[in-house]
Structure formats: C-alpha cells, structure tokens
C-alpha cells in the first residue's frame, strides 16, 4: 500500500481537539489555489478561488500561492502571470511532459510534493470533475481534512483555522466544518459560487519553479483521446444573464412548457429544481442548485420552487430574484427580491405575454 | 473477475422532512434506500460478471440496520455481502471511511484477489465524491472517476479502456487492473430483482465484520478520532435582512400582476430592457 510514503500526520488523541496547533504544523503558511489548466484553458473557477483566497490570506496576513502544472513550452508561464492579475502573489509551477493531460497519479504526485516542500496552510480547488478527482486523492495521500462543495469560506482567527460552510443533508441546513489538527486544510468550491474578481493587469507574480521526478514510464494510465462536447449548450446556464426555472409546484411535466415559453421570449436559459431531473421532466444539465449548476444571472425567475437550501446556495448570487409561489410562507421568499404569492400556472403565461408585448414595443422603438 | 462494490445506505431524501419549529432534520421514520448513485456502480459490476464470470462482493460500512441495503443488493444478483459495523466506526468522515473500506477490501483480497472496485459518483447525504479516490490511493489502485462507459475490458491482459467525463468533453483513458471506478449516473439501469435472487437474498447470511475482522489495525484512524474534519456548527440560513418586496396579487388579474412585476424588474435593473430586446432580435 502506498501508505508507507505518507508523512505521519498528527493524530487527534486525547488532546486532539485542542486549540493549540501541534508544533510541526505551525510551519504551514499561506493560502494556495490549484489552477485548473486543461488543454491550454484555465477553468474560470480557479480565478474565482484566487479572489476568495485573497480575502482569506489578507485576514491571516499571508501570501496567496497559485499552483500551475502543465507541459513544457505550454501556457504555464502565461497562466502564472495571469494568476497575479486575480490576486496571487506567488506561483508554484511545475513543467513536465507527464503533466500534459490530466491524470490522477502525476498530478497527485506533483501537488503533494509541492505541499510537502512549501507547506501551505490552506489549499483550495474547484469542485469540477478534475478538482474533485485530484482533491480526494491528494487529501488521502497527505492524510488531511477535505471539505467538499463549500459555499462560504472564512477564517476563525482564534484557532487560525478555516471555517468551511456547506449545505448539509435535509434540505434546509448549513454546517460549518473545520480541520483543526491537520495541515493543509483543504476545500473544494463549485464554479460560480464565489465572485469573479476584477483582474488588475499591473500586478506581478513571483515564480517558484519546481521539479517533478516522474517519467512517462512510471505512469500506468494513458490518455488515448479527448472527445470535446459538441453540445456547448451545457455551459450556458451558469453564465446566462437571465434564467427562468420551474419546480414541483408546476404540477406536471406538461406545464414545464410555460417555463420554456417565458425563457424563449426573454432570450433566457431555463432550468429547474432537482426533483424535476429525478422525475425526468428536464435533463441533468438543467438542474440548478448545489448538486446542479450555480447561477449568477442579473434576473432569476423561480416558479413553483420552495427554496430548499440546496437550491438557495445555487441561486443566491443572482442580482434580482422573482419568486412565484402559492405559499406565502415558502422559504424562497426569505431570499427572493420580489414575491409573487400566486399560481405559477396563470402568472407564467401572463408574464410571457406581457414581456413579449413590452419588449416588442421596445424593439419597434429601437428600430425607428 | 472479482469485483467489490461499495454501497451506502442513506435516508430517502425525497421523504425527509424538516421540523417546522426547531428547523432540524426529522430522521425518525424516514425509510432508507441504497444510495441511488451506487446502483449504477452495482449494475455495471453485475454486467461485467455476467459477461466474464466471477464474483461480485458488496460491502457497506454502517449501523447494523444497513444489512437491509446489502440484502437488496443480493436480490439484484450480487454474490456475497459483508457489513462493516463497529462502534469504533461511528462519526467517520471521508478520510476515516476510506480507511475502513480499504482495510476491508484488502482483507477480502487476501482470500480472492480483487480485480476491480466500484463506488458511486457520490452519496446523497455526504455528497463529497471523496471516498472513491480515497480508497484508490490507499490500495494503490488505478483511479478512474466519473466513468460514463467501459469501452474495452480484457481480463486476461488486465487492460481496460473507459470514457471519463471531464470538463468540456470526455477523456478516453486506458489503464490496467486492478482499478477503482466511480460510475457516473444515468449510465445504465439497475436490473429487476429475479425471484430466485429475492429468495436467496431473504435467506442469506450476511457476514458482519467488526474492526478486527475488517483488518482495521489502527482504531485511532477510524471513527470520530480518525477524522481530521470537525463539524463545529449546524445552522439554518439567515433570512436576508430585507424581506422580499411583495407584488400585490389579491384582487388582481394575472395580466395586472405580470405588468406590475415587469415594472419593478425594469426599475431595479434598467439595463435589462434593452439587453432582452437585443437578445430577442439577435436570436
Ligand atoms: C444532497 C442534496 C442535494 C440537493 N441538491 C439540490 C439541487 O442542486 N437543486 C435543487 O433544486 N434541489 C436540491 N436538493 C433537493 C432540495 O432539498 C429540495 O428537495 C428541492 O429543491 C425541492 O424542489 P421543489 O422546490 O421543486 O419542490 P417542493 O419543495 O415540493 O416545492 C414546490 C413548491 O411549489 C409551490 N407550489 C405548488 N403549487 C404551485 C403553483 N400552482 N404555483 C406556484 N407555486 C406552487 C409549493 O408551495 C412549494 O413551495 C438536494 C437535496 C439533497 C439532500
Ligand atoms: N459508509 C460507506 N460504505 C460503503 N461505501 C461508501 C460509504 N460511504 C461512501 N461510500 C462509497 O463512496 C462513494 C462516494 O461517497 P461520498 O464520498 O460520501 O460522496 C459512494 O457512492 C459509495 O459508493
């Protein structure tokens, strides 16, 4: 078992939950973000996390480190420089041919080696398929705590530990999780949960180049091919300016057309709550919420959705939320901007008609 | 082929209710099910066994009542089931859970070597997707997460090719057995339980392993003690300070409500009016 390679972590014994950090862990300093660079592209969640990491680092009075891994003569240098624009102070980079495509083993080896060498106290990754694959592997290798899919991160200065908040089972509760006696403290965050920071092109990066002692022959798993998605539709919901969504309150799949009709008049994307996916009314890539897409539109119209916490955390970033629900006590009215207590089945078509009329008039004015 | 499938018993989320006054989860009386994501892993494993022969062993770590989930798995056609249950395991986070599961799999492998381990993509209660990668690292298995399809499998050459869901596309990965696969949802349909299997499942002796039988050599690495993460607080989200502004509906027609809603939307976000009109024109 690869256990032998593992550094011996502090075991939380009798005094395991004490406030004082074990001596050998006090050396861990700095907030790191793993920058997801795949096929030359940086996943935007990495920049969102650098923005969030900046806030944590400022509270702690430490630096923000960006980890950039990739093949030689690729985009590693350019990406490291760009990381500074979003708030990183230093980039830890490894260029190696084995890091050309994402694979668990070389990326785990590279990231754990950097962590063991430079000792960050916090390590953040995007909760993407890549980030989750890597985070689970790295946390186990380092034998440290990992909190998945956080919706808020903060620092508890008394224990100098990160407070990671995520929804918990049941639909209406959140919990805050700490990793007290282990370093680094790891967390993943889904795309679009944290705000994209405004880039500052004047900021400069300090680059620390590291070497990975691994050759292609050491790696069993090979990437034979990459088949890009033809349907670019998938990504659009997360980035749409206007989103219309429906929930179980619509009563039946045939009524979901009311949501689509309004979305089409608004040039908006449509989506729904998780039960609609489970019932097959909509496809999984249209699910909005913690286990679906996180959205940050200017306008979000939610019809017949109760507003459970898993739905809330995926939509709270919207500028304006209009909720239509027959129940004046529905939880969604606790975070909506405008409340329409009424029947979605009559109000949705009325909105579609009124928007069409008024936007049509607007278009006529614009055309004159 | 010897395949181990990890399943978890979870409360049926569709039937969970929140206490209206205390705002806590009411677990009493909530029926339990096999974690829905794990059924895709189980079906994939059963299909491979049907094709290549061999054995499917299902394991779960949980309270004694989790044997119901294992019995269900047997009724779908799994060959053997082991319940990992011990007071020491209580309160395990993902690191501690993967320690117990991998210890047990190592123990199972001492009798008959394990070629593949399957887990679901994630659980609906823990919802972390970490336990699978944790097991792979601990057992040194080649890790294949978010697998959509097994394209090729040659047990004699010990070679496997899969489609793995990645951001913006599908990775075609080739690796060797033994490997760990976390199966993506929607990839197959769990079979109907046959009569024979249902009878067999009802009568089956389910092996129950405590820490010692599961090969857990360091009790300090499982349960609450072996969990680096600590839940410090559980709370209800705070209502926004400003309450939602009501749009008057009583005595109004749907058209009047719609017009009033559009007025406030455009007042709050004036730019939307021209952006929407522009998008309609473009689209
Ligand atoms: C681990 C986990 C992850 C989850 N992830 C997600 C997620 O990502 N996204 C998500 O959405 N959910 C998620 N859920 C589920 C979530 O907890 C809720 O169960 C779900 O959001 C409820 O969906 P709903 O609002 O459509 O249905 P309900 O809760 O049944 O609400 C229906 C609402 O419609 C109203 N209504 C009824 N009739 C009408 C009418 N004619 N007009 C207007 N309103 C009407 C009712 O008053 C009610 O408020 C998750 C749950 C778990 C346990
Ligand atoms: N207690 C458990 N017993 C058996 N398998 C588990 C257990 N917890 C998690 N798993 C497996 O690990 C997968 C990922 O779980 P999670 O990391 O909790 O999202 C699940 O789909 C299961 O296959």
């Amino acid at each position: 078992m690869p256990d032998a390679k593992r550094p011996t972590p502090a075991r939380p014994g009798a005094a395991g939950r004490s406030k004082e950090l074990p001596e050998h862990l006090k050396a861990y300093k700095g907030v790191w973000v793993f920058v997801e660079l795949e096929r030359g592209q940086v996943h935007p969640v990495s920049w969102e996390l650098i923005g969030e990491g900046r806030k944590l680092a400022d509270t702690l009075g430490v630096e923000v480190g960006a980890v950039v891994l990739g093949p030689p003569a690729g985009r590693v240098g350019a990406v490291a420089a760009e990381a500074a624009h979003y708030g990183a102070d230093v980039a830890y980079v490894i260029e190696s041919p084995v890091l050309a495509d994402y694979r668990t083993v070389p990326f785990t080896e590279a990231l754990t080696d950097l962590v063991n060498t430079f000792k960050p106290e916090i390590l953040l990754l995007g909760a993407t398929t890549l980030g989750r694959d890597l985070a689970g592997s790295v946390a186990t290798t380092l034998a440290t705590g990992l909190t998945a899919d956080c919706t808020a991160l903060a620092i508890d200065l008394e224990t100098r530990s990160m407070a990671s908040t995520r929804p918990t089972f049941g639909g209406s509760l959140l919990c805050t999780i700490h990793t007290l006696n282990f370093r680094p403290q790891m967390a993943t965050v889904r795309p679009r949960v944290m705000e994209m920071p405004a880039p500052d092109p004047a900021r400069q990066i300090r680059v620390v180049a590291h070497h990975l002692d691994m050759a292609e022959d050491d790696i069993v798993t090979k990437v034979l091919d990459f088949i890009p998605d033809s349907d670019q539709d998938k990504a659009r919901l997360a980035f749409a300016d206007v989103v219309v969504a429906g929930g179980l309150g619509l009563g039946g799949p045939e009524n979901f057309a009311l949501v689509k009709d309004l979305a089409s008049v608004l040039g908006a994307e449509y989506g729904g709550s998780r039960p609609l996916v489970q019932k097959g009314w909509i496809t999984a890539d249209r699910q909005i919420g913690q286990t679906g897409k996180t959205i940050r539109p200017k306008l979000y119209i939610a019809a017949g959705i109760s507003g459970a916490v898993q739905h809330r955390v995926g939509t709270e970033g919207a500028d304006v939320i209009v909720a239509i629900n027959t129940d004046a006590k529905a939880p969604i009215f606790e975070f909506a901007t405008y409340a329409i207590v009424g029947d979605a089945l009559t109000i949705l078509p009325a909105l579609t008609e009124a928007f069409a009329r008024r936007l049509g008039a607007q278009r006529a004015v614009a055309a004159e | 082929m010897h395949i181990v499938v990890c399943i978890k018993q979870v409360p049926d989320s569709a039937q969970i209710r929140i206490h209206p006054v205390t705002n806590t989860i009411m677990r009493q009386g909530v029926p339990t099910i096999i974690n829905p994501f794990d059924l895709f892993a189980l079906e994939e494993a059963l299909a491979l066994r049907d094709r290549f022969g061999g054995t499917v062993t299902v394991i779960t770590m949980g309270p004694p009542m989790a044997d119901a989930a294992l019995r269900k798995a047997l009724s779908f056609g799994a060959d053997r089931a082991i319940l990992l249950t011990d007071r020491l395991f209580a309160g395990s986070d993902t690191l501690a859970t993967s320690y117990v599961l991998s210890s047990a799999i190592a123990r199972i492998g001492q009798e008959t070597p394990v070629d593949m381990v399957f887990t679901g993509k994630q659980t609906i209660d823990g919802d972390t997707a970490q336990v699978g990668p944790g097991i792979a690292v601990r057992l040194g298995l080649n890790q294949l997460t978010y697998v959509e399809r097994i394209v090729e499998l040659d047990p004699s050459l010990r070679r496997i090719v899969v489609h793995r869901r990645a951001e913006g596309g599908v990775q075609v990965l080739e690796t060797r057995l033994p490997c760990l696969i976390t199966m993506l949802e929607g990839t197959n349909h769990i079979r109907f339980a046959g009569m024979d299997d249902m009878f067999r499942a009802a009568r089956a002796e389910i092996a129950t392993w405590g820490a010692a039988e599961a090969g857990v050599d360091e009790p300090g690495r499982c349960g609450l003690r072996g969990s680096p993460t600590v839940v410090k607080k559980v709370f209800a989200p705070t209502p926004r300070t400003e309450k939602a502004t009501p749009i008057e509906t009583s005595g109004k027609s749907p058209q009047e409500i719609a017009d009033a809603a559009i007025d406030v939307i455009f007042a709050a976000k004036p730019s939307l009016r021209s952006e929407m009109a522009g998008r309609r024109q473009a689209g």
Side-chain angles (χ1 to χ4, degrees), chain A residues 132 148 166, chain B residues 5-10 35-39 41 59-63 84 92-94 97-98 101 118-133 135 181-183:
Chain A
R132 284 175 159 216
R166 72 189 302 259
Chain B
V5 184
C6 301
I7 65 172
K8 187 179 181 190
Q9 186 182 52
V10 296
N35 175 40
F37 291 110
D38 299 349
L39 294 176
I59 63 172
T60 191
M61 179 188 92
L84 310 171
S92 293
D93 72 358
T94 54
T97 300
S98 70
L101 292 174
F118 276 90
T119 74
K121 181 181 87 166
Q122 63 196 50
T123 52
I124 61 166
D125 56 348
D127 196 23
T128 75
Q130 287 162 15
V131 168
I135 295 170
I181 290 184
T182 83
M183 206 64 205

Side-chain angles (χ1 to χ4, degrees), chain B residues 29-229:
Chain B
V30 176
T32 55
I33 52 172
I34 296 179
N35 175 40
F37 291 110
D38 299 349
L39 294 176
F40 302 105
L42 179 59
E43 175 56 36
E44 203 65 29
L46 292 173
L48 291 178
R49 179 211 51 196
D50 292 349
R51 205 164 124 212
F52 296 104
T55 313
V56 170
T57 302
V58 201
I59 63 172
T60 191
M61 179 188 92
M65 68 179 238
D67 75 337
L70 293 173
R71 239 174 251 288
K72 186 91 192 161
L74 289 174
S75 78
F76 288 127
D79 300 287
R80 180 187 180 203
I82 302 168
L83 172 66
L84 310 171
T85 189
D86 197 307
R87 298 234 314 270
L88 282 173
F89 301 160
S92 293
D93 72 358
T94 54
L95 193 73
T97 300
S98 70
Y99 171 64
V100 173
L101 292 174
S102 56
S103 302
I105 295 168
R107 183 49 65 87
I108 292 167
Q110 284 169 6
E111 303 160 24
T112 320
V114 175
D115 302 299
M116 298 173 90
V117 176
F118 276 90
T119 74
K121 181 181 87 166
Q122 63 196 50
T123 52
I124 61 166
D125 56 348
D127 196 23
T128 75
Q130 287 162 15
V131 168
I135 295 170
V137 166
R138 291 178 185 283
L139 294 176
L141 304 172
N142 294 311
Q143 171 173 328
L144 301 169
T145 54
Y146 303 100
V147 170
E148 276 185 0
R149 204 155 76 80
I150 297 174
V151 188
E152 280 176 58
L153 176 60
D154 188 330
S156 54
L157 290 176
R158 307 197 61 70
R159 172 176 179 272
I160 182 168
V161 178
V162 302
H163 281 182
R164 167 179 186 270
R165 169 110 307 260
E167 300 297 315
V170 167
Q171 257 188 338
V172 184
L173 291 179
E174 176 195 305
T175 195
R176 307 189 75 77
L177 305 185
C179 66
L180 176 132
I181 290 184
T182 83
M183 206 64 205
L184 205 65
E185 71 274 18
T187 42
N188 56 36
H189 280 287
I190 187 75
R191 59 196 57 197
F192 285 107
M195 270 303 174
D196 292 356
D197 282 326
M198 285 200 320
F199 284 127
R200 186 175 58 88
R203 284 193 311 265
E205 273 292 328
I206 292 187
T208 301
W209 288 5
E213 291 89 348
V216 167
D217 45 10
E218 285 182 68
R221 284 171 67 182
C222 58
L224 217 45
R225 278 214 298 159
S227 299
T229 57

